[in-house]
Amino acid sequence: MLLINKKACIMDTTTTEGVKITVTTNYLPDYSSPTQQHFVFAYKIIIENNSEFTVKLLRRHWYIYDSNAVVREVEGEGVVGQQPVLEPGESHEYVSGCNLKTGIGKMRGNYTMERLVDGSLFTVNIPEFVLIVPYKLN
């Protein structure tokens, strides 16, 4: 499991239809090799169900932007092998990672979720967040 150094985190938050998404990011120098154009980042996502309905996360859809103008798109079921069900007031968190060819990039995306009461699907936005090596901030 990747650990996130709290001192190096950047946090972004958004809420869609009562589901709050909070993202924190961290550069992982021990897994990176800047001379080989390989920069690894971890991100932790907290999903909070502040709606009045039980919801299930079905799918994820990511756009990953590298500062060299390369854009990758990633889609799939669930998050890190799970499709969490959240009752009102519950939360789920997970840690994942991303590699870039440059020391600066960003990610954004969305989750497809289902309201279990009636089976209706809705999209929850994941806030755009920056991936940046700390020494680029100075």
Side-chain angles (χ1 to χ4, degrees):
M1 176 183 213
L2 298 173
L3 298 178
I4 294 183
N5 176 350
K6 298 288 185 199
K7 290 188 271 185
C9 291
I10 298 171
M11 184 175 4
D12 293 288
T13 301
T14 191
T15 301
T16 308
E17 296 196 40
V19 179
K20 180 179 177 182
I21 307 296
T22 303
V23 182
T24 53
T25 64
N26 192 31
Y27 174 60
L28 301 175
D30 293 344
Y31 296 93
S32 300
S33 179
T35 59
Q36 300 293 318
Q37 297 182 327
H38 184 74
F39 300 86
V40 180
F41 298 86
Y43 56 89
K44 179 171 125 178
I45 297 193
I46 302 171
I47 304 165
E48 298 175 70
N49 183 8
N50 296 322
S51 77
E52 59 187 79
F53 304 103
T54 301
V55 298
K56 180 178 182 177
L57 190 153
L58 301 176
R59 299 188 62 77
R60 71 192 181 287
H61 187 175
W62 287 107
Y63 295 95
I64 305 165
Y65 301 86
D66 216 320
S67 63
N68 62 1
V70 172
V71 180
R72 290 179 284 160
E73 193 172 351
V74 177
E75 290 187 85
E77 289 188 4
V79 289
V80 293
Q82 300 178 333
Q83 291 183 313
V85 174
L86 301 171
E87 301 285 339
E90 289 185 336
S91 65
H92 175 80
E93 65 181 65
Y94 69 94
V95 175
S96 192
C98 174
N99 62 305
L100 300 176
K101 293 205 178 279
T102 65
I104 301 173
K106 64 183 179 180
M107 291 177 65
R108 68 175 176 84
N110 61 65
Y111 298 124
T112 300
M113 303 196 83
E114 176 185 11
R115 282 186 195 88
L116 295 185
V117 67
D118 61 6
S120 63
L121 302 181
F122 64 105
T123 300
V124 171
N125 294 320
I126 302 166
E128 182 174 282
F129 55 94
V130 174
L131 303 165
I132 185 166
V133 295
Y135 59 82
K136 297 275 187 182
L137 292 172
N138 295 330

